[in-house]
Amino acid sequence: MPALTLPAQAPSQLPAHRWKVLAVGVAANAAFSAAAAGLPTTAIFMRAGYQLDNAQLGLALGLLGLGVALFELPWGLLTDRWGDRPVLLTGLGATAAALAWMSVFASPAHGVAPSLWLLALGLVLVGALGGSVNGASGRAVMAWFGEGERGLAMSIRQTAVPLGGGLGALLLPWLAARSGFGAVYGVLALMCGLAALSALCWLREPAHLANAPAERGAAATPLRDTRVWRAAVAIGVMCCPQFAVLTFATVFLHDFSHAGIGTLTGVMVAVQLGAMVARIASGRWTDRHGNRRGYLRGCAWLSFLLFAALGALAWAVSGSASTPAAVISVAVLLAAAGICASAWHGVAYTELATLAGASRAGTALGMANSCVYLGLFLTPLAIPHVAAVASWPMTWVLAGLCMLAALPFLTRPQKQPATERPGPANPGISCAATSETP
């Protein structure tokens, strides 16, 4: 059965309210990403403030991802059953409360570090509750935007991840250094509260989806659809190199190159801002050319080459890693690899949600994000041990190999006659049923 989509309409005929819904999705994802991607940029201060070694630091940074991985799929199922609005309001409100609790009870104060289990509990709670934003906001975008705009809309929504991470990279290390982690968690709680307020004001389900009959067949049961599972696993594996950059790039630059706080912040902000631009551009480009799957394979190969080059460069300068030329070269290549490893998200999530159908997009996105955040748990857990046993250069090469490992799960695009290829003049044609049929 075909996936449920909006009627084939020109963008000018679609409801203008869809842009407010997209703004809610951006705000929700940015607020949670400021915690998920922003907290790792405070790794140096967290290691000192909580008196952790690198293995404990990796565990702490990974626990937030574990919380998301465990509860992302239940949130997706609840989203498809209850709708976007109640799930997003519940999740954001509860996440704000968990962060406020951490600000009071799980923050170092007066030189005294709280127990590791308190930090662990808080991060798992934030992940478990904050994971609600992914499926709910993605389902809302799929419901309000037609096929001809979905790649762009989902990519804009996905820019919220580097946007929130960039804001976190700019603000959180400074807050951690000046005011401590009580202020860090307090600001993150405020951001989640404001995102919940935007959802309360603007988010609702469109009439065509609320009144549509339940889908049947494979499109209605993504948990039984092997195409959806393949896409979800591919997304999860391809995220591991990105998480390697987000969680341990600052530790790598600090310990390997002896880089200062300015360089650390500059690299992380460059990765997040570059990813934002790349995601929007890739979404728009694939909407016009109907080549999502080919684009995803190209990103995987390019990311592998960049991470392999980073490993080779780190090995070559290992004897003089702290010289200005070496620091700049490593920082630039690290930023480029991080941007490329983040550029494809909106395109991949659009393809996944198209396969599942708009009314079941919450479940499909929950499946993918369970894989993604399992990677966020395992990646920082593994990196300290890999770096200790095999060196930092080999760590980055292995990160690149993850991109190649995802290729068997990505469906190869099939070439069709030019007259059958989707273009901007055919907004109602689904990529899942034309030039990229499985």
Side-chain angles (χ1 to χ4, degrees):
M1 295 291 290
L4 178 64
T5 60
L6 281 169
Q9 295 173 295
S12 60
Q13 297 175 313
L14 296 173
H17 186 76
R18 70 193 189 281
W19 298 108
K20 293 181 181 180
V21 173
L22 180 57
V24 171
V26 170
N29 279 270
F32 179 61
S33 179
L39 281 175
T41 65
T42 68
I44 302 300
F45 303 102
M46 186 176 287
R47 183 171 63 180
Y50 286 92
Q51 302 172 15
L52 308 174
D53 58 31
N54 276 353
Q56 291 172 321
L57 176 65
L59 174 63
L61 294 176
L63 284 173
L64 192 149
L66 177 63
V68 180
L70 292 175
F71 287 89
E72 180 73 35
L73 183 55
W75 279 121
L77 292 167
L78 287 176
T79 298
D80 288 337
R81 179 176 291 273
W82 292 349
D84 317 313
R85 181 184 171 91
V87 168
L88 209 54
L89 288 174
T90 301
L92 285 171
T95 304
L99 285 163
W101 176 85
M102 291 188 71
S103 178
V104 177
F105 297 105
S107 301
H110 309 295
V112 178
S115 299
L116 179 59
W117 74 267
L118 274 178
L119 174 64
L121 175 62
L123 291 174
V124 169
L125 276 176
V126 170
L129 299 170
S132 60
V133 308
N134 297 306
S137 62
R139 182 180 183 274
V141 169
M142 288 295 294
W144 280 92
F145 285 83
E147 175 62 26
E149 291 183 323
R150 281 177 177 167
L152 175 62
M154 288 288 279
S155 293
I156 291 174
R157 185 198 76 125
Q158 286 301 116
T159 62
V161 177
L163 173 62
L167 290 174
L170 275 174
L171 183 60
L172 299 187
W174 178 82
L175 277 175
R178 296 294 182 90
S179 304
F181 279 88
V184 169
Y185 301 134
V187 167
L188 292 173
L190 178 62
M191 292 177 66
C192 288
L194 292 175
L197 182 61
S198 72
L200 181 65
C201 293
W202 291 334
L203 186 58
R204 65 175 186 267
E205 196 164 85
H208 84 275
L209 192 57
N211 299 328
E215 294 179 84
R216 302 185 185 277
T221 56
L223 289 171
R224 300 179 183 177
D225 193 329
T226 57
R227 300 173 306 158
V228 176
W229 272 115
R230 286 178 59 187
V233 171
I235 289 171
V237 174
M238 290 175 71
C239 278
C240 290
Q242 175 194 350
F243 292 145
V245 173
L246 292 178
T247 56
F248 269 88
T250 56
V251 175
F252 163 67
L253 290 171
H254 179 272
D255 293 355
F256 181 82
S257 298
H258 306 290
I261 186 66
T263 301
L264 305 184
T265 301
V267 168
M268 299 311 295
V269 171
V271 168
Q272 303 291 11
L273 294 180
M276 289 174 59
V277 174
R279 290 180 184 190
I280 293 175
S282 61
R284 182 61 173 165
W285 190 69
T286 53
D287 272 349
R288 288 182 174 274
H289 294 86
N291 59 344
R292 292 176 192 145
R293 294 172 184 173
Y295 173 83
L296 292 174
R297 299 182 72 88
C299 270
W301 278 106
L302 180 57
S303 296
F304 162 71
L305 293 175
L306 287 172
F307 277 102
L310 175 61
L313 176 61
W315 176 81
V317 303
S318 57
S320 56
S322 59
T323 62
V327 172
I328 292 173
S329 299
V330 169
V332 169
L333 192 51
L334 178 61
I339 291 169
C340 188
S342 304
W344 51 270
H345 277 234
V347 175
Y349 279 105
T350 305
E351 178 64 20
L352 174 70
T354 299
L355 287 172
S359 69
R360 298 295 181 180
T363 301
L365 294 173
M367 293 160 60
N369 282 309
S370 292
C371 298
V372 166
Y373 283 93
L374 180 61
L376 179 56
F377 171 63
L378 295 175
T379 300
L381 199 63
I383 285 177
H385 303 288
V386 174
V389 172
S391 77
W392 276 111
M394 184 56 65
T395 300
W396 296 121
V397 173
L398 291 175
L401 288 173
C402 289
M403 302 301 281
L404 296 188
L407 287 174
F409 298 98
L410 294 173
T411 305
R412 293 180 179 274
Q414 284 186 328
K415 292 185 178 181
Q416 298 286 343
T419 55
E420 295 183 18
R421 292 177 186 168
N426 299 297
I429 298 178
S430 170
C431 193
T434 55
S435 65
E436 297 183 332
T437 52

